[in-house]
Amino acid sequence: MQKRLQVVIEGVIQGVGFRPFIYKVAKSLDLKGFVFNTSDVVNIEVQGEEENLNNFIKEVIENPPPAAKIAKIEYAEIHLKDDEDFQITNSVVKNPSRIYIPKDLCVCKDCINELFDPENRRYLYPFINCTNCGPRYSIIEHLPYDRENTTMSDFQMCNDCLEEYNNPQTRRYHAEPNACEKCGPEVLLFDSSENFIASSKDAIELCKKLLEEGNIVAIKGIGGFHLAANAYNDESVFRLRQSKKRGNEPFAIMMPDIESIKEIAYVSSEEKEELLSVERPIVLLEKSDNYNLSEFVAPKLKKIGIMLPYTPLHYLIFQNLKINALIMTSGNVHDEPIVSSNDEAFEKLKNIANYFLTNNRRIRRKIDDSVVFFALDERLIQRRSRGFVPEPIEVPFKLKEGIAFGGELKNTISLSKNNLIYISQHIGDLKNKDSFEYMKWVYSDLLELLSIKPEFVACDLHPDYLSTIFSESLNLPLIKIQHHKAHIASVAGSLNLKDKSLIGVSFDGVGFGEDGNSWGGEFFLCNGKDYKRVAHLEYFELPGGDIATKEVWRIAYSLLRKYFGCNIPINFPVEPDKVQIIDFMLKNKMNTPTTSSIGRLFDGVSSLLDLIQTTTFEGEGAMILESIASPLITTSYEPIILKENGEFIIKLEPLITDIISDIKYNISKEEISAKFHNYICSIILKVSNILRDAYSVEDVILSGGVFQNVYILNRIKSILTEEGFNVHLPKDVPINDGGISFGQLYLASLLIS
Ligand code: ZN
Ligand code: ZN
Ligand code: FE
């Protein structure tokens, strides 16, 4: 008997070849009807034998296209109609209830095969794509996702391309960025004075030679320009570091395949899967004994960020290239946003890059590469951008439409609609003027794209953050969320832990605290929207405030002065006159804000061990300290925790005294570092036990920048689990300040509901 079903599917279903897939399945089961997109869902009507209809639903659920994600499928029987065939009909724009914006996808296997097939008409064409792959979010101007609403509307398809685009039997049926050499974008090579050198295949061949010869080439990609250089060439890498004003911050590299990566780094099966995923993020891997890249790539660090090629152009560049590792760092100067237009690239990168491999496809949104790392097989996100954004995170209740502006460093913003929270792409350090301007652009862009009319705003508690000042200017109900509460809320929200009692451990750099001090070593007791600070690191002084984050010896000196008075027990490795000024500041309490930050404690210890005295990027001291920590040492400094005024305080004097005594006894830095790392784990365990006894809480959230330290994360996860705690880490939300906006929006939503 014939039946007819109306099927509505929600999820990641646009720009991933979903309609052609539905067409194929319907045809194969001899069903009649149609499929079309609205801005938010795929609508299907199918008619045929009941058994075939059942098989249709089964096939759709079980075997969707690789990049598709079905969030919800609903179907109901409706009256029979008399269609002649199965058809894909035009997209319909209507007022959407759920908006899914397709994300950028890495080039697929089928397209790679065609790319290197001399018989194929797209042989060596760097913009080859299909319904399963290619740029999406980075080229969308408006929704729905149709070609005329993308920057590919600049190109008129040739007859061959148009034929594929309109033919449901091909892999390119409604592949919106569909293009070929005849009709699509082309690559162009210029020198740094904007003189045209070559185009198309010649440009790519020349670019390879230039890279081999040690040049720095700015290469236009999906969400912006990369600066590329030979990762084995000391001179090139050093020059790139200097001209990019990069300090010692590690560079990410790209290698052509997993085999090459395994030559220089350890790769677990989970890491391999992540490297090969459609998101193609940078994965932080441990350098192997055979690591032989230039020492300037990731100086003094144990880890290296590596990604695989993800555009056809990357594959073409690595084909027969004599080097198997290229630096591929974001094309920007210092903390500015990544450059994405050709004009911007020539203007901003002309003193860095020797050559420019550009193209004439416009990038609508700046999107950096994403960065992930693993701790005991669990994937954690450091930077959530290309490949992940703008996929929303679902929460189990309806949210008011709102917006949260995040913190200051590693800024992202978040927006809520229905039961979804959208985290923006990585924006950067808002102290930088261009990044702040970009934040405002992203704000208006996402408001329009998601058609959100915010009813409230959330921001940080810090009165001086530009994001706070901007939030205040919007004249909407404003909810300020303390930085470390936002870190904890980002985990509670991403894992749906609203109804559990939780211990929230936020170990971090600094964030403005509710008592006016800089927090960063905090324990909260959390019930629903109620977050109470119950324990923290003892306060210590940061002479000079923010400068102490750079000149970390100031922190070490402050700690020594605090516990040893004038009798500094070690040879302090900084000029006496500099120290004298700090001494004066401390004595007279001049510009010496107090902090409970674990991140700053790491800085201080890295200085005490004389690993570094002046850092070039935030967290450098901690990263070097982690890199030398001996994994064989299981002993720890003894944590002393006292109850003072109803709060548990982690006392620092015993720690500092023990470290100084170890330094005097010439205990190796590797051992001292390990004992300090183990001490951090001991604090967490000890305080968690106290809180479990007092409040019967067994769930522990770990969040904040310090937990990018895998030595600590791995150990504390196993220790807490062994002791019967449930450990929760952020899922799909960055563990560092990139997750703050999500946490703010989630907690603010609970507070106003
Ligand atoms: Zn493809
Ligand atoms: Zn064409
Ligand atoms: Fe933070």
Side-chain angles (χ1 to χ4, degrees), residues 449-733:
L449 214 50
L450 298 164
S451 53
I452 283 178
K453 290 194 181 59
E455 295 173 56
F456 71 96
V457 181
C459 71
D460 197 90
L461 206 58
H462 201 302
D464 302 333
Y465 280 0
L466 289 178
S467 54
T468 305
I469 295 164
F470 183 69
S471 303
E472 285 166 345
S473 75
L474 292 176
N475 285 324
L476 284 163
L478 179 64
I479 298 142
K480 295 190 176 179
I481 304 284
Q482 199 280 325
H483 187 96
H484 302 100
K485 290 185 176 175
H487 270 305
I488 301 304
S490 73
V491 186
S494 71
L495 294 173
N496 182 18
L497 300 173
K498 182 167 70 81
D499 301 322
K500 273 205 153 88
S501 284
L502 304 158
I503 296 168
V505 186
S506 188
F507 282 8
D508 200 29
V510 293
F512 196 80
E514 284 163 357
D515 58 1
N517 292 313
S518 291
W519 292 6
E522 315 303 314
F523 289 82
F524 299 98
L525 193 67
C526 313
N527 285 294
K529 60 188 174 189
D530 187 33
Y531 284 39
K532 188 170 173 261
R533 189 195 201 199
V534 285
H536 63 87
L537 192 68
E538 178 183 355
Y539 285 127
F540 57 96
E541 284 75 28
L542 290 179
D546 271 354
I547 310 169
T549 309
K550 260 187 162 239
E551 298 183 7
V552 291
W553 59 269
R554 289 170 181 249
I555 300 173
Y557 187 77
S558 156
L559 290 165
L560 291 175
R561 189 75 177 60
K562 189 171 174 115
Y563 301 116
F564 291 92
C566 296
N567 308 313
I568 299 301
I570 50 168
N571 268 337
F572 201 70
V574 176
E575 299 93 89
D577 51 331
K578 276 192 180 171
V579 173
Q580 234 169 29
I581 301 172
I582 302 304
D583 216 43
F584 182 81
M585 287 169 76
L586 286 166
K587 239 185 257 162
N588 297 289
K589 296 200 161 50
M590 273 174 61
N591 191 16
T592 50
T594 54
T595 187
S596 53
S597 162
I598 298 275
R600 294 298 86 88
L601 179 63
F602 263 90
D603 287 338
V605 173
S606 67
S607 160
L608 284 177
L609 295 188
D610 201 16
L611 295 168
I612 192 163
Q613 299 303 347
T614 304
T615 63
T616 59
F617 63 95
E618 209 224 356
E620 185 176 4
M623 283 167 78
I624 299 174
L625 202 55
E626 180 191 355
S627 288
I628 67 157
S630 163
L632 304 170
I633 306 287
T634 51
T635 51
S636 158
Y637 295 114
E638 180 66 24
I640 305 294
I641 294 153
L642 298 180
K643 196 163 186 178
E644 294 173 3
N645 304 321
E647 283 178 332
F648 294 97
I649 307 296
I650 300 135
K651 303 302 276 183
L652 278 173
E653 181 168 6
L655 170 75
I656 303 302
T657 320
D658 287 351
I659 291 178
I660 293 302
S661 147
D662 274 359
I663 292 174
K664 281 186 174 164
Y665 280 103
N666 286 323
I667 305 293
S668 74
K669 293 179 183 181
E670 290 73 14
E671 183 173 341
I672 296 177
S673 171
K675 282 166 78 177
F676 173 66
H677 278 77
N678 295 337
Y679 166 83
I680 301 294
C681 298
S682 305
I683 295 175
I684 298 174
L685 178 64
K686 201 159 175 182
V687 177
S688 298
N689 271 324
I690 293 173
L691 296 176
R692 176 162 61 183
D693 292 346
Y695 305 99
S696 333
V697 212
E698 297 195 314
D699 290 80
V700 182
I701 284 178
L702 305 175
S703 189
V706 168
F707 293 109
Q708 292 168 103
N709 184 315
V710 175
Y711 185 105
I712 288 177
L713 205 48
N714 282 351
R715 290 209 177 193
I716 193 60
K717 256 179 84 179
S718 3
I719 295 172
L720 286 173
T721 310
E722 264 169 46
E723 294 281 323
F725 288 99
N726 308 312
V727 182
H728 307 285
L729 297 168
K731 186 174 177 283
D732 297 330
V733 178

